Amino acid sequence: TLDKFNAETTLEMPQISGAAAQLLGVQVAVDDLIPTIRQLGDISTGSGKNFNELVDLFAKNKASDLIQGEDLNQLMNSKIPIAGEFEKMFGKKVTSQNISTMGVRFEHLQMAFKNMTSEGGMFFGAMKRQALEVPGILSNLSDSFNRLFIAFSGADQAGDAMTFWKSLREVLFDISVRFEALVSFLSPML
């Protein structure tokens, strides 16, 4: 589920749910949502490219099925070595001037992203690594507190008190796990 995936990443739930909605809107299959969001998250984390902008670019190219020179430039300017991946596929240099005549399609972009985020790729596991560092731990802790707030704010609307208390228990456990991770990370420095 998206909640479980959220707990494993540095992405916040609004980013994940927004990306899921946008990807569903361009016909990404439900079973492909988490792997696709993971790829985009790993590339965003590893390159520093804004996650939401990367999702927008991905969705735009999925909808049009053709990769434009402007999109290639945007990716390359974000330290995403997409031209090198395309060069491996086509056997010659791909530039913003020749990309449209080379027939670079969305499937090629998808394959390039998969190569960069698979084992051995430069962005493989980038979110997982960052989740173990202070910014990632704090991001996950913040998301846990947001879930706690949502649980409390919906308490009077909860039709089933047992469901509310079970949800609250899970959120509190999640917060304690993340806080322990933060303490264990910081303890060698103290």
Side-chain angles (χ1 to χ4, degrees), residues 8-169:
E8 301 169 355
T9 73
T10 55
L11 297 171
E12 305 250 341
M13 194 57 178
Q15 290 176 296
I16 293 171
S17 58
Q22 190 170 1
L23 294 171
L24 286 171
V26 293
Q27 309 301 308
V28 171
V30 172
D31 291 344
D32 294 335
L33 279 179
I34 291 176
T36 301
I37 294 170
R38 183 181 311 278
Q39 282 181 349
L40 296 171
D42 280 340
I43 292 170
S44 170
T45 300
S47 69
K49 173 78 172 160
N50 178 284
F51 175 75
N52 294 328
E53 290 175 9
L54 188 59
V55 171
D56 287 344
L57 187 89
F58 185 87
K60 173 187 150 200
N61 282 284
K62 171 117 175 61
S64 72
D65 194 41
L66 288 173
I67 312 305
Q68 303 295 320
E70 173 186 321
D71 301 324
L72 180 72
N73 286 339
Q74 236 188 330
L75 292 167
M76 291 188 318
N77 290 338
S78 299
K79 301 179 199 129
I80 300 171
I82 196 73
E85 289 295 323
F86 289 155
E87 190 172 336
K88 291 177 199 172
M89 290 179 212
F90 290 94
K92 54 183 160 177
K93 188 172 182 164
V94 176
T95 66
S96 58
Q97 289 78 30
N98 71 2
I99 193 166
S100 58
T101 60
M102 303 240 346
V104 180
R105 305 189 76 77
F106 176 75
E107 67 189 66
H108 300 113
L109 177 68
Q110 203 170 21
M111 190 182 317
F113 279 10
K114 185 176 181 180
N115 291 343
M116 290 187 280
T117 58
S118 296
E119 192 166 349
M122 74 180 299
F123 300 123
F124 175 71
M127 283 193 300
K128 190 176 240 178
R129 284 190 306 278
Q130 188 182 49
L132 301 174
E133 298 171 0
V134 171
I137 293 168
L138 292 176
S139 170
N140 286 333
L141 193 56
S142 168
D143 211 38
S144 296
F145 277 110
N146 286 337
R147 288 179 43 219
L148 179 64
F149 175 75
I150 290 167
F152 273 119
S153 66
D156 58 341
Q157 300 165 359
D160 180 5
M162 290 301 286
T163 302
F164 167 74
W165 290 111
K166 181 180 177 198
S167 174
L168 182 60
R169 188 185 82 217

Side-chain angles (χ1 to χ4, degrees), residues 7 131-134 136-145 170-188 190:
L132 301 174
E133 298 171 0
V134 171
I137 293 168
L138 292 176
S139 170
N140 286 333
L141 193 56
S142 168
D143 211 38
S144 296
F145 277 110
E170 289 173 0
V171 170
L172 290 172
F173 176 76
D174 187 49
I175 289 171
S176 70
V177 167
R178 294 183 192 292
F179 190 73
E180 285 176 23
L182 180 61
V183 169
S184 67
F185 181 84
L186 293 175
S187 62
L190 302 175

